[in-house]
Amino acid sequence: MTLAPTPLSRRSLVTETVLVLGVSLGASAVWSLLSIVNKLTQQRALNQQTTAMNSSVTPDRPWLDLAYQLVGIVIALVPVALALHLLRRDRADATRAIGADLRQPGRDLGRGLLLAAAVGLPGLALYAAAKAFGLNTTIAAANLSDHWWTVPVLVLAAVQNAVLEEVIMVGYLFTRWRQAGWSVPAVIVTSAVIRGSYHLYQGFGGFVGNIAMGLLFGWIYTRTKRVGPLVVAHTVLDVVAFVGYALLKNHLSWLT
């Protein structure tokens, strides 16, 4: 005899989301908060500090470094598998329900590219303004040693970031918090604030910019019910940031 799953209470639903965040982006938010406190309490101004991303672990041993990078990408995606597993307890087609599938590749790609264009330039302007006013660090977006696999790994890192953030922060949390009875505005705002908080390590420009991005992405998701375009947009933004920085950092002084 097959037993039907017992519906989770509101408290259980919220507790579940806290636990999922606790092993993923919520933990990143805590570390990010500590990072910004550390930067603010240093002698140098915030805009005189550099935040390094996508750094080599063993630059003198490229194959081991590659292994570190790939393992890090895979492990970072485990919370995504966990979130989808939990959603599938309620319905077997949970991936389809949140739009994390390939049913609409052309539409997802088109919407994602438009969204990336709409977010990219204002985001760059906000970063420049925040840095000019001393509210943000300099972001060194790619610091891998120069190898044949550098660009492919940076692209994979961008995809990993996009899948992790959009599936959990939008697809999973929006589903669970709505099931718990939260209003749509409360879900959108809470998710956006958490998104901003785990970018605090960059400075306050990163915090505000990602809250704005979270509000926009959340609003779009409530209309489309698909995380696919969000993943595309986020991937494009990160690929441009990571690969662009890696290719241009030795040619444009303002990047460093």
Side-chain angles (χ1 to χ4, degrees):
M1 180 177 66
T2 302
L3 298 177
T6 302
L8 295 174
S9 66
R10 291 184 178 184
R11 180 176 180 179
S12 294
L13 288 165
V14 174
T15 299
E16 181 189 286
T17 62
V18 171
L19 293 174
V20 170
L21 286 171
V23 296
S24 59
L25 296 165
S28 298
V30 175
W31 290 116
S32 191
L33 178 61
L34 291 174
S35 177
I36 192 64
V37 170
N38 173 47
K39 288 169 180 171
L40 289 173
T41 53
Q42 292 189 24
Q43 297 298 318
R44 290 178 298 158
L46 198 60
N47 62 353
Q48 298 300 314
Q49 300 180 46
T50 299
T51 298
M53 303 169 61
N54 299 304
S55 299
S56 288
V57 180
T58 57
D60 58 324
R61 288 161 289 171
W63 287 101
L64 182 59
D65 198 20
L66 174 60
Y68 267 109
Q69 303 301 326
L70 295 178
V71 169
I73 289 169
V74 172
I75 290 177
L77 290 174
V78 172
V80 175
L82 172 61
L84 293 175
H85 171 74
L86 293 171
L87 290 179
R88 290 191 187 105
R89 294 183 308 173
D90 301 336
R91 51 185 300 176
D93 66 338
T95 302
R96 178 172 181 170
I98 65 172
D101 57 15
L102 298 176
R103 286 182 300 126
Q104 302 177 23
R107 182 174 295 181
D108 288 348
L109 178 61
R111 288 174 172 173
L113 291 175
L114 288 174
L115 187 55
V119 171
L121 290 178
L124 183 60
L126 177 62
Y127 164 71
K131 190 169 181 295
F133 284 102
L135 298 174
N136 217 80
T137 62
T138 297
I139 306 299
N143 298 275
L144 296 176
S145 299
D146 188 14
H147 302 293
W148 65 266
W149 47 261
T150 299
V151 170
V153 164
L154 291 173
V155 172
L156 287 175
V159 174
Q160 173 251 297
N161 285 345
V163 172
L164 174 64
E165 293 190 40
E166 305 314 328
V167 171
I168 290 183
M169 296 308 302
V170 181
Y172 169 73
L173 289 181
F174 277 48
T175 300
R176 282 301 193 232
W177 286 341
R178 288 294 287 146
Q179 290 173 338
W182 291 24
S183 68
V184 171
V187 171
I188 293 176
V189 171
T190 304
S191 174
V193 171
I194 295 173
R195 186 190 292 261
S197 68
Y198 59 73
H199 287 92
L200 261 174
Y201 68 93
Q202 300 175 4
F204 296 105
F207 175 66
V208 173
N210 278 279
I211 287 180
M213 178 175 163
L215 293 173
L216 177 61
F217 278 24
W219 178 81
I220 290 174
Y221 178 75
T222 62
R223 267 67 183 165
T224 65
K225 302 300 182 186
R226 293 194 60 77
V227 299
L230 310 183
V231 171
V232 170
H234 197 146
T235 298
V236 170
L237 291 169
D238 279 6
V239 166
V240 171
F242 297 168
V243 176
Y245 183 90
L247 296 178
L248 298 175
K249 64 181 179 181
N250 293 326
H251 305 283
L252 299 175
S253 60
W254 59 269
L255 284 176
T256 57

